[in-house]
Amino acid sequence: MDTVLRNATVIDGTGETPPYRADVGLAEGRIAAICREGRGGGKRPSGRRVIDAQGLALSPGFIDMHAHSDLALLADPAHEAKAAQGVTLEVLGQDGLSYAPVDDRTLDEVRTRITGWNGDGRDVAFDWRTVGEYLDRLDRGVAVNAAYLVPQGTVRMLAVGWEDRPATAAETGHMRRLVAEGLEQGAVGLSSGLTYPPGMYADDAELTELCRVVARYGGYYCPHHRSYGAGAIRAYGEVIALARGAGCALHLAHAVMNFPENACRAPELLALLDSALAEGCDITLDTYPYTPGCTTLAALLPGWVSAGGPDAVLARLRDDATAARIRHALEAEGSDGCHGTRVDWETVEISGVATPGLAASYTGKTIARAARERGEEPWATARRLLIEDRLGTTMLHHVGDEGNVRTIMRHRVHTGGSDGILHGAKPHPRAFGTFPHYLGRYVRELGVLSLEECVAHLTSRPAARLRLPDRGLVREGYRADLVLFDPDTVAAGSTFEAPRALPTGIPYVLIAGRFVMEDGRRTDVLAGRSVRRAPAA
């Protein structure tokens, strides 16, 4: 064997098999032998390298079903934020906005629009335009494996632009072709950001046409739907009906019930979900184990403000009369960008800015606090920041409900996703802590899930959604994407005060049998590659 993991306690990823002690031998990037204690079977495997895993749990590598590492994987070879958590595969292209497929115009526009998620990319060579070329770029070697969703908002930029109107038949045909090309080149599905422009301008008929393409290729639809606030249950129902009508598998992105209006309402969502599952719908979901959300400050703006693209947004913000309309929509009516709820500036905390000179005045402060320090109304502060930072500001939105978080994570189709935004001086701790936080907080401390159940949520269930036949389980012949962790000490190091602290209790992480984490330290191994859609059965 290349490597033997001796005396490990195997948590195999099924969620059903009790933990067992075994020696696990790895060869040529795969699990070559599992010698269970007490089962006989002859000589224990030997290897060129032997790791004593006494006291450690061995599980499949964790799969982050909702990641925003599209540029970070290329710009930061170490990528400790995810490697140190035991993540061996991330799903990129989320929320309908990413960097392929693009042309020169749309690349500039999308870089501006999601600077708050990923930075401006000045340290990345954008030497791709298609989905296939982006995946080829990953194949040069990255820290962890990555799959990709075709981003519907970016596709709409290419075919329609930033106009707030239904697509024509010709434009819809163009989008169908772009989605098909992305899937043929290896994307695993389609994402949407239906509170983010320009994807939010698509009606259900347009989205259904695109989902029919996804269904034909055996992919799945992953929507950030139209409301996580006042209209949350209705919005979940809409995407379930849409996917059912298109015959398409559905994965509900960051499936939360946020804002005071939705406190304790998770059972309503799960009843809706169970009803659809009973009817034969193919549905999964992901969540992160925290209550605050994280996105750009510009995301709060009403959808009509973003028609025409980023430059048009800034022009509207600079115009006093239009800015007054925006304020009324945010504070009196409830903006669609704020999920139909009236904004509470006390809940909006600035986590990062694109313009370094603004950091001291804003980072780590709520809009309400920054406004008090300036002696002005919160809208005046928010407006000024949006303009001066050219829409590049990232925020934490403290509107979650802990009871909902716990209820949803217990569901049988739940998977783990960090929704981790790595950009900004004070990012959400979920970017560095989601997976150990599940294991430490919600398994060991609270007992919301058993260890075996939780590992299944983070490994085999997402692998099944991605239709990966040789990942997500500790099983002979499977890829040696593995994590060794200490169930008694594993914990997220990241907090809201120190969000970039690394986790504890995860000494070893392997991808393709190679150590990307060793003795709790990042190695220089870049074993990650693109994971491309498997052909439909």
Side-chain angles (χ1 to χ4, degrees):
M1 302 292 171
D2 298 327
T3 302
V4 174
L5 308 175
R6 185 85 74 202
N7 301 315
T9 299
V10 176
I11 314 293
D12 71 357
T14 63
E16 301 170 354
T17 305
Y20 62 87
R21 283 170 55 91
D23 295 347
V24 178
L26 314 178
E28 298 182 351
R30 292 186 178 268
I31 300 171
I34 301 175
C35 182
R36 295 180 63 158
E37 183 179 75
R39 289 287 184 92
K43 186 178 178 182
R44 300 173 79 180
S46 61
R48 286 187 286 275
R49 181 168 185 197
V50 177
I51 299 293
D52 183 3
Q54 181 73 35
L56 297 177
L58 175 67
S59 84
F62 305 136
I63 298 175
D64 188 342
M65 286 296 289
H66 193 103
H68 289 283
S69 305
D70 308 49
L71 297 186
L73 264 177
L74 304 178
D76 175 18
H79 201 47
E80 279 188 306
K82 294 302 177 66
Q85 293 185 60
V87 171
T88 58
L89 171 60
E90 300 182 282
V91 184
L92 312 177
Q94 300 286 349
D95 296 328
L97 290 167
S98 191
Y99 305 94
V102 291
D103 57 19
D104 291 348
R105 172 185 63 84
T106 54
L107 177 58
D108 288 344
E109 290 171 347
V110 76
R111 286 178 67 181
T112 299
R113 183 67 205 188
I114 55 175
T115 292
W117 291 356
N118 299 313
D120 61 12
R122 67 183 64 186
D123 47 0
V124 173
F126 287 88
D127 53 356
W128 68 86
R129 291 296 180 269
T130 68
V131 170
E133 289 168 350
Y134 176 73
L135 297 177
D136 289 344
R137 177 66 180 81
L138 298 176
D139 283 340
R140 298 180 200 172
V142 287
V144 304
N145 298 309
Y148 190 76
L149 296 163
V150 178
Q152 171 257 332
T154 304
V155 165
R156 204 173 204 270
M157 281 184 222
L158 279 166
V160 183
W162 290 82
E163 297 179 45
D164 182 359
R165 61 168 176 80
T168 66
E171 290 165 342
T172 300
H174 186 190
M175 287 187 281
R176 284 173 56 90
R177 290 190 297 275
L178 289 168
V179 172
E181 288 169 4
L183 291 162
E184 288 169 357
Q185 293 164 9
V188 295
L190 175 75
S191 76
S192 285
L194 300 180
T195 64
Y196 298 131
M200 68 190 304
Y201 303 142
D203 59 22
D204 285 355
E206 177 182 319
L207 295 169
T208 299
E209 285 299 305
L210 301 185
C211 284
R212 288 189 174 123
V213 177
V214 176
R216 190 169 76 241
Y217 284 92
Y220 68 92
Y221 179 44
C222 181
H224 165 126
H225 51 269
R226 298 191 192 275
S227 176
Y228 291 84
I233 294 295
R234 181 176 66 254
Y236 280 113
E238 286 171 354
V239 293
I240 290 171
L242 189 157
R244 181 191 290 116
C248 185
L250 177 67
H251 181 82
L252 300 171
H254 37 54
V256 296
M257 294 286 289
N258 283 344
F259 300 92
E261 295 94 322
N262 289 317
C264 304
R265 293 186 68 191
E268 294 178 52
L269 166 61
L270 300 185
L272 178 68
L273 187 62
D274 286 336
S275 177
L277 289 166
E279 293 171 3
C281 294
D282 182 1
I283 306 175
T284 50
L285 58 85
D286 67 70
T287 69
Y288 47 84
Y290 299 87
T291 52
C294 181
T295 188
T296 61
L297 182 61
L300 298 178
L301 299 173
W304 60 264
V305 176
S306 294
D311 289 340
V313 178
L314 292 167
R316 292 184 180 108
L317 288 166
R318 292 187 183 104
D319 179 76
D320 289 342
T322 308
R325 285 183 60 204
I326 297 170
R327 178 180 185 177
H328 183 76
L330 284 167
E331 297 182 348
E333 295 176 345
S335 156
D336 51 358
C338 197
H339 305 278
T341 67
R342 292 190 294 272
V343 68
D344 176 358
W345 296 113
E346 293 283 3
T347 68
V348 178
E349 178 186 355
I350 302 307
S351 58
V353 293
T355 306
L358 299 173
S361 299
Y362 294 103
T363 301
K365 300 176 183 178
T366 65
I367 290 291
R369 175 185 165 188
R372 286 192 294 270
E373 292 177 357
R374 300 180 69 93
E376 61 188 9
E377 293 294 316
W379 167 243
T381 299
R383 178 189 178 192
R384 175 183 294 104
L385 180 54
L386 286 164
I387 293 169
E388 292 181 354
D389 205 28
R390 292 191 58 80
L391 312 180
T393 306
T394 310
M395 69 174 197
L396 302 181
H397 207 184
H398 296 272
V399 291
D401 179 86
E402 177 66 19
N404 286 341
V405 169
R406 298 186 192 187
T407 299
I408 293 169
M409 74 169 63
R410 293 188 183 101
H411 197 274
R412 67 187 185 280
V413 300
H414 169 268
T415 67
S418 71
D419 197 10
I421 293 175
L422 301 166
H423 177 66
K426 193 174 180 289
H428 195 304
R430 68 193 185 192
F432 286 74
T434 287
F435 295 87
H437 199 51
Y438 266 118
L439 297 168
R441 177 68 173 159
Y442 288 92
V443 172
R444 185 178 64 247
E445 295 178 9
L446 298 177
V448 175
L449 295 168
S450 72
L451 182 58
E452 297 93 324
E453 288 173 327
C454 187
V455 168
H457 287 228
L458 307 181
T459 59
S460 63
R461 290 186 187 177
R465 164 50 70 220
L466 295 167
R467 298 179 62 240
L468 303 176
D470 57 358
R471 300 176 198 258
L473 295 171
V474 179
R475 186 169 289 175
E476 289 183 2
Y478 274 53
R479 293 178 184 268
D481 295 353
L482 300 166
V483 183
L484 279 164
F485 64 92
D486 184 343
D488 295 329
T489 64
V490 63
S494 60
T495 64
F496 288 99
E497 293 72 32
R500 295 182 182 276
L502 297 177
T504 57
I506 306 179
Y508 298 101
V509 181
L510 300 94
I511 295 178
R514 301 171 66 193
F515 288 89
V516 297
M517 295 292 297
E518 187 172 349
D519 295 325
R521 295 187 295 273
R522 180 70 173 92
T523 70
D524 61 1
V525 169
L526 297 176
R529 299 294 185 269
S530 70
V531 173
R532 307 195 187 209
R533 180 190 58 84

